Each structure stands twice: as structure tokens, then as C-alpha cells.
Amino acid sequence: MKRTKIANALASKELGETITVKGWVRTKRENKNVAFLAVNDGSTIHNIQVVVDVPNFDEEMLKSVTTGAGISVTGTLSPSLGQGQAVEIQATEIVVYGTADPETYPLQKKGHSLEFLRSIAHLRPRTNTFGAVFRVRHAMAYAIHKYFNDKGFAYLHTPVITASDAEGAGAMFQVTTLPLDNPPRREDGTINYEEDFFGKTTNLTVSGQLEGELAAMALSEIYTFGPTFRAENSNTPRHLAEFWMIEPEMAFFDITDNMDLAEDFLKYCVRYALEHCGDDLKFLNDMFDKELIERLKFILNNDFQRLTYTEAIAVLEASGKKWEFPVSWGVDLQAEHERYLVEEHYKKPVILIDYPKEIKAFYMKQNDDGKTVRAMDVLFPRIGEIIGGSQREENYDKLVARMQQVGIKEEDMWWYLDTRRFGSVPHSGFGLGFERLVLFVTGMANIRDVIPFPRTPMNAEF
Ligand code: ATP
Ligand code: MN
């Protein structure tokens, strides 16, 4: 018989129909005459209740239907007398696909800590929490593609393996096929990468931006959405070694256009979650973060505060706070500073622009003051930096001068510089850390809990 997804069964008005649902048993309550199974198939946070007339079923088979078992149930969709659901299934047939030994199945009824669930990341999607998180994650990925598609952006696939290390966004993972115990060497003893797979040293990408710029110089508006890798040894609740990044790049956009897009885009994603993930967000709100839904609505209803780095430093200096990292013009802002601006001072998202050029990448457009560049960071409550971006330097001479100052070789970047030699135009872009967005929208506290299989220092299990 055709399978009905549990989300559809729960919403169905066709009482009296015979349907088949398939899923995993969450709980089982029973007495001599009747058993109640709560079955979930991941299509919704809600379980469907299956009512089993015990005398009508094989005793051994029923015994094997325990928490975690994978089953198929056929029966009559009926109004439910129990509270919490409108309909239930009166079972006529049960097929057990796979049992789950109660002695060893780790997900028994009691709540488990998020730390424990990380150690069984292969099973945690079967919990309410991770079912909700991964459905929201999916919805955000879909919303992002829809947003850019509707605006006429082209989805550009940038390489995962790259020979350029100029972006400087973070430490890189090397990619090599050379034997590490006995690599080929030159006469001076250094490793001869000419014999490596690509004939040169290569790494996993930290950002698709530079290649994204090349395509924006032809397609006008593109975005990337792919995995990025940073070998930074920062064990924080907001950093992964492997994370997904969305990087739009737009020809003919200045920094104001860039800010407008970033704000509109983030609001779109939050609104999409509120409109399409209501049940999951309500669950996460009630379980983990009582202010989650309020906070999401707040994002929609407020303009982001826009100010310069220099103005932000003045606010931080005037705050009278004792900082772990002292503040003065020129320092890179730390999470404590970003969160003060957002959560205590302005009490709304903040977009900071015009950062000192020394703390930002070489490709950012230089301001006339000679000290700052047209960088743009979007700061969110609880998260800190969620987006980093800039208007790009489109002037060939200025770009080369900056590259020389920071020691990037022109010959390594000839292809990038060509865009400034041939038909260079003003352009801008930014990078959104996908997991930081999912972190914000789900209200989870640790970035390891919003990606199915987190990669962090000393951890690549599963
Ligand atoms: P941070 O200062 O938080 O380390 P960053 O300045 O290194 O961030 P960018 O290089 O501007 O970040 O990257 C763009 C976006 O990618 C960031 O705004 C953030 O949302 C996300 N991001 C950066 N590093 C990580 C990471 N290690 N794990 C998850 N997301 C990240
Ligand atoms: Mn970083």
C-alpha cells in the first residue's frame, strides 16, 4: 500500500480511510489489551499515535516493537481521544523492518544532553531536537536559493581545491598526494611540489570570493553556496573547521547597495523560517530558548543600525566596560565588543563599515582617508559576526599597491588582476556563514549542533 507521510496523515481530514505509515517507534506504552505506539518519520516534529489491539496481533512480533524499531503500520485513520493530536491510527497490520535492542539502543525515552548526543551524531537525527534543527537547516538552504534565484542571481560553483592562498581568511588545509613519510625533495632538501598531483601546492578553499568576482564581471550577479575549510585551532561555539558559506558578488553595487542586500537577505531568511518552520521553531523555543521566536520577529521589525568602525570604537570607549581585550582605534573587534554593541548599546543588529585597512583583506576598496577600507560586517545578537563583506577595490594600481604592501605576489594573482585590467567596474559582495544563520534561527547555543557531522579540532568522527 502507498505510504502516507506522517505530516500528511496528521493533517488529513479523511477519517475512516485505511492508510499506511512508516517510521521509527519513539515510545511504546502498553497493558494487556492495548498498546500505544508513538511513531515518527521525520516529516514533522509530531508523532502519530498508533493504537494496537493487543489480542489481535502476534505476541512475539509486538514484543519486538520497541523504542527505535523501524516499522510499517497499516490501519484506519480515526479521531483521537487522547490529548495532543486530532487523529490516530487503529492498526490492522504491523510489519517490523528492523528491531532495536532496548539494552543497547542509546536513545531511550529520557532526555539526553546535547554533549552526549554529539557523541552519537549518527543517531541524533532521530531525536526531536535534531529533527527540528535539520528541517530548519534544510528550509534555510532552500530559502537562500529561492531568494537569489528570484532576484536573478546565478548560482556559481567555485572550486573546493585551490592553489591560491591570498584570501588570507584563515589557516588552510593542504591537499597533497605526496607520501608524507618520504616526499620527493629538491637538492636543497625542500619538498618538490612539482611532483605533487597538481604540480604545485594546493589547499582546501577558505572562500569562493575571488573566483566569484571573476564571474560577477560577466554575469553581474552571482552567489556561491558551498563548503569552506579553515584549519584555525579555535575551539569556540561559533567556529567549525568545515562550514558552508554563501557568497553573493554583485557588479555595479557600492557599499550601500551591499548593506541593503545583506539586510534584506537576512530578513528574508528569518521571515521564511517563521512562515514555514512554525512547529519546529515552537518546539525549539519551548525546549531551549524561550525568547527565540520573539528575537526572530524583532529582527524583522527593526532597521539594522549602520555605523562606521570609528564610531563604534568611540561607543565602546565611552561604555565604561572592563574588556578582556582592550579597545582602541586599530584593534580588531572581539566577540565581547560586537555583542556589547548589538545586545546592550543599540539593542538591534548592527552593520559596521569602514574598518582600518590593516585588519582587513587586500582586495577591499580603499577610502580616500588612506586609513580605512570599505569593509562591512553584520553583527547579530548571540552570534556576533554573521556576515563579512566589502566593496572591492576595482582600481588596478591601487590594488597592486596594496598587494605589494602585504606581500602578495602579482604573478600568483594574474587572473584576478586581469579583471581590473579588462572592463573593471565597481562591485561588492559578502560572505554569510550558513551555520551561523542556522544557529541564530534555531536558537541553539553551539555551532556543533546545527551541522549534521561537525568537523572541529581533534574531531572528525562519522
Ligand atoms: P570570525 O571573526 O568570526 O572568525 P571571520 O572574520 O574569520 O569570522 P570571514 O572570513 O569574513 O569571517 O567569513 C565570512 C563569514 O563566514 C563570517 O561572517 C562567519 O559568518 C562565517 N565564518 C567564518 N569563520 C567561520 C568558522 N570557522 N566556522 C563557521 N562559520 C565561520
Ligand atoms: Mn575567523
Side-chain angles (χ1 to χ4, degrees), residues 28 50 69 73 75 86-87 103 135 147-148 178 188 211 215 220 248 263 281 305 308 331 370 374 384 395 442:
K28 177 190 193 182
V50 174
V73 178
V87 297
E103 298 297 316
R135 277 187 297 274
Y147 179 82
F148 287 118
L178 293 179
D188 64 1
E211 291 92 348
S220 288
E263 180 167 346
L281 291 183
Q305 181 72 43
T308 65
V331 302
R374 227 161 270 181
N395 180 287
T442 58

Side-chain angles (χ1 to χ4, degrees), residues 155-179:
Y155 177 26
L156 185 83
H157 298 96
T158 48
V160 169
I161 298 176
T162 153
S164 106
D165 58 0
E167 222 273 344
M172 304 181 98
F173 290 99
Q174 191 175 345
V175 176
T176 180
T177 54
L178 293 179

